[in-house]
Amino acid sequence: MRDVAVIGVGMNRWGELWEKSHRRIWTEAALEAVADAGVDHLDALYVGCMSGGLFMGQEHLGALLADQLGMGPIPGTRVESACASGGLAFRQAYLSVASGEHDLVLATGLEKMTDVEGGAATYALSTAADQEYECYQGITFPGLYAMMMRVHMHRYGTTRKQLAEVAVKNHENGSRNPLAQFPGRVTVEQVMESVMVADPIRVLDCSPITDGAAAVVIAPVELARGMKKDSIIRVAASAAATDTIALHDREDLAWLGSTQRAAEIAYKKAGVGPGDLSFCEVHDCFTIAEVMVIEALGLMDRGKGGEGAASGFTALDGRVPVNPSGGLKSKGHPVGATGVAQIREAVLQLRGACGDRQVKDARVGLTQNMGGTGASSVVHIFERV
Amino acid sequence: MRDVAVIGVGMNRWGELWEKSHRRIWTEAALEAVADAGVDHLDALYVGCMSGGLFMGQEHLGALLADQLGMGPIPGTRVESACASGGLAFRQAYLSVASGEHDLVLATGLEKMTDVEGGAATYALSTAADQEYECYQGITFPGLYAMMMRVHMHRYGTTRKQLAEVAVKNHENGSRNPLAQFPGRVTVEQVMESVMVADPIRVLDCSPITDGAAAVVIAPVELARGMKKDSIIRVAASAAATDTIALHDREDLAWLGSTQRAAEIAYKKAGVGPGDLSFCEVHDCFTIAEVMVIEALGLMDRGKGGEGAASGFTALDGRVPVNPSGGLKSKGHPVGATGVAQIREAVLQLRGACGDRQVKDARVGLTQNMGGTGASSVVHIFERV
């Protein structure tokens, strides 16, 4: 397989983008990535999108967006794996370049979630869970993650305050990200006293509903070298794994098997371990998710994830900064775009281009993107070469 | 890139499968393919599905189906390109093996279209067109293809009778396919007198709404040789291309540019031309589609596609049999599954295992799968080696 590099990135300001169509949101990010890469053509594009049908009444986005970008007849492929759609779309794009099939590929993610009536967004998101065995019984994602949080608190003594610290840290980081949907800082008290959603999850434990897109351009490392790029950001590893889709089928409700498995494969491919990471961008759809992810990635011992943010270990100036971008929590979570935005952040961090949210001496970064309650996970490792 | 072979195929009887859930329909096809391949594990699976959200209220099918098959934690990836989802899912699976990333991969397609209320299926299908510029004006797919048909008839003198002959041929072939949804034969008169849907398209010009799945297992050719398979069916070429999503943006309403482009790439990769094909499985979602596809594939001159079925050129015993399986018209069209079922048919034809619908001396077969009014096309060529 050929070595692959990310040579361009793009993203627009995320939020409730009433004045922009999904095609405009996507095209802004895509054009920025193409300009950043300095290329005048593409061989293919991929788009991660969770539910074009339910959120936007529009499927067939691969073809639509290739057309919209004026890049037809290049192949356009939409990839879906719920909230891991962006990460998995990047992985397919990566394989298409690594295989030798394509040279210049645009990997993107898109979701416009706010153009639906009340309740419809929650329903659309619930299609990431097992409809027949979970959602038809009345539960949605805050309820599912609430059960995971309750088990983690009960078994390991993880505290509400520790979980609130995740939100505080990510909003602190996000306050330095000009594209974040909710860049405002929050305090532990604000999180712990915010409106209850599904006990013990409160509204400030949750990532928001967001419109947004992100895009990156990839190419063989050899080609990137020929383009005399200042810094080459290599894809050191790409891995994906699954777990049971229904939470009740798991042996352990407080363990993310798919993330652990994908990370294990990725570490092996990249020849690195958790101790080598300069930073991580992880899937903090709820505060408890980040706690469980950093355990599954091996950054903290099993059951000790609550100490990550609370001890400063995962802070921007900590041992391993987690979510320097602000994470899903502050940056926003347009579900199909999230995985690609994580990769954009990793690339900018490795380029040293993140301004006052820059991680010091960033050399190796990991991104982890997850669907449902962890039924699917995608892990990538990037390095500056 | 590594040479890739199809080593197992599976499909169940298609139709209105009220008594079976989508997961059961898919699992039947998947297990048959795995058994046919004679493998005891898989490295990854892909599923083509157009609108899990609108048809089944269930996205995240890659993870769900890996779980359902008992194959977790292997990666599960859902690919969507409207009615070309199956073909494009196969293409991503192919790239994952050709790249060296995986060895044994299950490529599948699934759609359960009948579990929705009246009108909802038509709406779901319309999300394959440009919602903002086409469907919001009130048009759906029969109307779009009716315009293409009208232009073809007007410009080239293609007759209603010639178009009816496509349906007659495909139902004749489908009558020999035990898994077809509508295996009954039809006459030219029946087609021409059937209920009007969108002038000049009548109901017997249309493919049906169907529940169904199809699956194939692929592996590197070297691995397949080691398994001492009786016949090795090699993927000689894989190609995809796009066109404008909105019909009104095309220079020529009666020409399928994406199919022509994908076929051009595929012929070059495989080192063959239209004259070398033993048979084709093509996307006859409407009778006019088959007429236009055989032109774009170079089987008939531009404007002469109407003569394909009428002259016997595309009959089972004709120069190049088209849709020996019965095509979408008779076999059925569970949109995400169609592209994979075409590949299953191609493999069975090349194995010489098609009973009384067997194409004589089948050595090279082409499959063409298309989304929308041809905004995306996927072409594969297979050969017995």
Side-chain angles (χ1 to χ4, degrees):
Chain A
M1 290 171 68
R2 301 196 294 183
D3 261 2
V4 177
V6 183
I7 63 168
V9 300
M11 176 176 156
N12 37 18
R13 173 82 193 262
W14 286 2
E16 296 190 20
L17 308 179
W18 304 106
E19 77 288 6
K20 293 181 187 177
S21 67
H22 60 77
R23 58 187 91 199
R24 165 126 182 235
I25 294 169
W26 181 88
T27 305
E28 286 177 358
L31 286 176
E32 186 181 317
V34 168
D36 185 39
V39 297
D40 61 3
H41 72 284
L42 295 167
D43 296 325
L45 73 80
Y46 287 76
V47 53
C49 178
M50 177 182 163
S51 194
L54 293 172
F55 281 124
M56 314 186 302
Q58 181 70 65
E59 310 280 10
H60 212 181
L61 288 164
L64 183 146
L65 296 171
D67 182 19
Q68 185 65 22
L69 198 61
M71 290 287 186
I74 67 165
T77 304
R78 179 234 181 153
V79 175
E80 185 265 328
S81 189
C83 304
S85 298
L88 205 56
F90 178 87
R91 179 169 157 75
Q92 303 312 315
Y94 161 79
L95 290 174
S96 82
V97 175
S99 69
E101 179 74 359
H102 298 305
D103 282 337
L104 291 172
V105 175
L106 182 66
T108 70
L110 167 69
E111 212 85 45
K112 187 154 182 25
M113 303 170 71
T114 64
D115 283 355
V116 292
E117 290 174 21
T122 297
Y123 168 67
L125 288 169
S126 79
T127 63
D130 190 318
Q131 283 288 304
E132 290 172 23
Y133 290 90
E134 294 181 317
C135 303
Y136 291 172
Q137 319 308 322
I139 201 161
T140 57
F141 273 96
L144 290 165
Y145 273 94
M147 291 197 284
M148 298 160 85
M149 186 153 153
R150 186 65 85 190
V151 170
H152 205 279
M153 294 171 78
H154 175 75
R155 186 180 305 153
Y156 300 119
T158 307
T159 66
R160 267 283 4 168
K161 183 164 178 303
Q162 287 177 327
L163 288 153
E165 295 277 14
V166 175
V168 172
K169 167 184 69 74
N170 289 350
H171 277 279
E172 172 58 39
N173 293 349
S175 73
R176 304 167 187 214
N177 185 346
L179 303 184
Q181 179 178 15
F182 289 109
R185 292 184 181 84
V186 297
T187 64
V188 167
E189 293 68 35
Q190 283 173 321
V191 178
M192 290 177 65
E193 287 163 18
S194 62
V195 172
M196 185 67 80
V197 176
D199 193 7
I201 287 183
R202 291 171 183 268
V203 73
L204 287 178
D205 288 299
C206 308
S207 58
I209 283 179
T210 311
D211 302 330
V216 303
V217 176
I218 61 175
V221 165
E222 282 313 303
L223 186 66
R225 284 196 208 283
M227 294 171 77
K228 309 221 179 291
K229 292 279 167 197
D230 287 341
S231 56
I232 307 252
I233 310 303
R234 179 175 164 266
V235 185
S238 171
T242 55
D243 198 347
T244 67
I245 185 147
L247 193 58
H248 59 248
D249 284 334
R250 307 257 168 94
E251 283 183 27
D252 184 346
L253 298 197
W255 183 247
L256 293 170
S258 66
T259 292
Q260 184 265 328
R261 175 73 183 139
E264 184 178 86
I265 298 169
Y267 286 140
K268 195 173 165 194
K269 282 186 181 175
V272 301
D276 300 308
L277 302 177
S278 310
F279 65 91
C280 301
E281 281 284 310
V282 309
H283 198 92
D284 60 322
C285 49
F286 297 93
T287 51
I288 182 63
E290 178 169 315
V291 166
M292 290 172 61
V293 168
I294 62 176
E295 294 177 16
L297 293 177
L299 296 175
M300 309 288 289
D301 290 339
R302 195 158 176 159
K304 300 288 189 192
E307 294 172 15
S311 70
F313 183 91
T314 58
L316 201 52
D317 58 356
R319 173 61 195 85
V320 183
V322 171
N323 283 326
S325 71
L328 287 54
K329 184 73 197 75
S330 166
K331 184 167 82 263
H333 184 27
V335 288
T338 283
V340 178
Q342 292 177 325
I343 291 166
R344 168 188 178 269
E345 178 74 10
V347 168
L348 290 178
Q349 289 286 351
L350 293 168
R351 285 183 185 172
C354 282
D356 60 359
R357 70 175 193 280
Q358 179 64 46
V359 171
K360 252 188 21 197
D361 302 324
R363 298 203 62 85
V364 180
L366 177 147
T367 60
Q368 178 269 351
N369 186 203
M370 181 161 85
T373 50
S376 60
S377 289
V378 189
V379 171
H380 286 95
I381 299 175
F382 300 89
E383 59 180 4
R384 198 172 64 210
V385 291
Chain B
M1 291 172 65
R2 302 196 293 184
D3 262 0
V4 177
V6 183
I7 63 169
V9 299
M11 177 176 156
N12 37 18
R13 173 80 194 261
W14 286 2
E16 296 190 19
L17 308 178
W18 303 105
E19 76 288 4
K20 293 181 187 177
S21 67
H22 60 77
R23 58 187 91 201
R24 166 129 181 232
I25 293 169
W26 181 88
T27 306
E28 286 178 357
L31 285 176
E32 186 180 315
V34 168
D36 185 39
V39 296
D40 61 4
H41 72 284
L42 295 167
D43 296 326
L45 72 82
Y46 287 76
V47 54
C49 177
M50 175 183 164
S51 194
L54 292 172
F55 281 125
M56 313 187 303
Q58 180 70 64
E59 310 279 10
H60 212 182
L61 288 165
L64 184 145
L65 296 173
D67 183 19
Q68 184 65 22
L69 198 60
M71 290 286 186
I74 65 165
T77 303
R78 181 234 179 152
V79 175
E80 185 265 326
S81 189
C83 303
S85 298
L88 205 56
F90 178 88
R91 177 168 159 78
Q92 303 312 315
Y94 161 79
L95 290 175
S96 82
V97 174
S99 69
E101 179 74 359
H102 298 305
D103 282 337
L104 290 172
V105 174
L106 182 67
T108 70
L110 167 69
E111 211 84 46
K112 186 155 183 25
M113 303 171 71
T114 64
D115 283 356
V116 291
E117 289 173 22
T122 298
Y123 169 67
L125 288 168
S126 79
T127 64
D130 190 317
Q131 283 287 305
E132 290 170 24
Y133 290 89
E134 294 181 317
C135 303
Y136 291 172
Q137 319 309 322
I139 200 161
T140 57
F141 274 96
L144 290 165
Y145 273 95
M147 290 196 286
M148 297 160 84
M149 187 153 151
R150 185 66 83 189
V151 170
H152 205 281
M153 293 171 78
H154 175 74
R155 186 178 307 152
Y156 301 118
T158 307
T159 65
R160 267 281 7 166
K161 182 164 179 302
Q162 287 177 328
L163 288 152
E165 295 277 13
V166 174
V168 171
K169 166 184 69 74
N170 289 349
H171 277 280
E172 171 59 39
N173 293 349
S175 73
R176 304 168 187 213
N177 185 345
L179 303 184
Q181 179 178 12
F182 288 110
R185 293 184 179 85
V186 296
T187 64
V188 167
E189 293 68 35
Q190 282 173 323
V191 178
M192 290 178 67
E193 288 163 19
S194 62
V195 173
M196 186 67 79
V197 176
D199 193 6
I201 287 185
R202 293 173 181 266
V203 72
L204 287 179
D205 287 300
C206 309
S207 58
I209 284 180
T210 311
D211 303 330
V216 303
V217 176
I218 60 174
V221 165
E222 283 312 303
L223 187 66
R225 286 196 207 281
M227 295 171 77
K228 308 218 178 297
K229 293 279 167 195
D230 287 342
S231 55
I232 307 254
I233 310 303
R234 178 175 166 266
V235 185
S238 171
T242 55
D243 197 346
T244 68
I245 185 147
L247 193 58
H248 59 249
D249 284 334
R250 306 258 168 93
E251 284 183 29
D252 184 347
L253 298 197
W255 183 247
L256 293 170
S258 66
T259 292
Q260 186 266 326
R261 175 73 182 138
E264 184 178 87
I265 299 169
Y267 286 139
K268 195 173 164 196
K269 283 187 180 176
V272 302
D276 300 308
L277 302 178
S278 310
F279 66 90
C280 300
E281 280 284 311
V282 310
H283 199 90
D284 59 322
C285 48
F286 297 94
T287 50
I288 183 63
E290 179 170 313
V291 165
M292 290 172 61
V293 168
I294 62 176
E295 293 177 18
L297 293 177
L299 295 176
M300 309 288 288
D301 287 340
R302 196 158 176 160
K304 301 288 188 192
E307 295 172 15
S311 69
F313 183 90
T314 58
L316 200 53
D317 58 357
R319 173 62 195 85
V320 183
V322 172
N323 283 326
S325 72
L328 286 54
K329 184 74 198 75
S330 164
K331 183 165 84 262
H333 184 28
V335 286
T338 284
V340 179
Q342 292 177 325
I343 292 167
R344 169 187 177 271
E345 179 74 11
V347 169
L348 290 179
Q349 289 286 352
L350 293 168
R351 284 183 185 172
C354 282
D356 58 1
R357 69 175 193 280
Q358 179 65 46
V359 171
K360 252 188 18 198
D361 301 324
R363 299 202 61 84
V364 180
L366 178 149
T367 61
Q368 178 269 354
N369 187 202
M370 179 161 85
T373 49
S376 60
S377 289
V378 189
V379 170
H380 287 95
I381 298 175
F382 300 89
E383 59 180 4
R384 198 170 64 208
V385 292

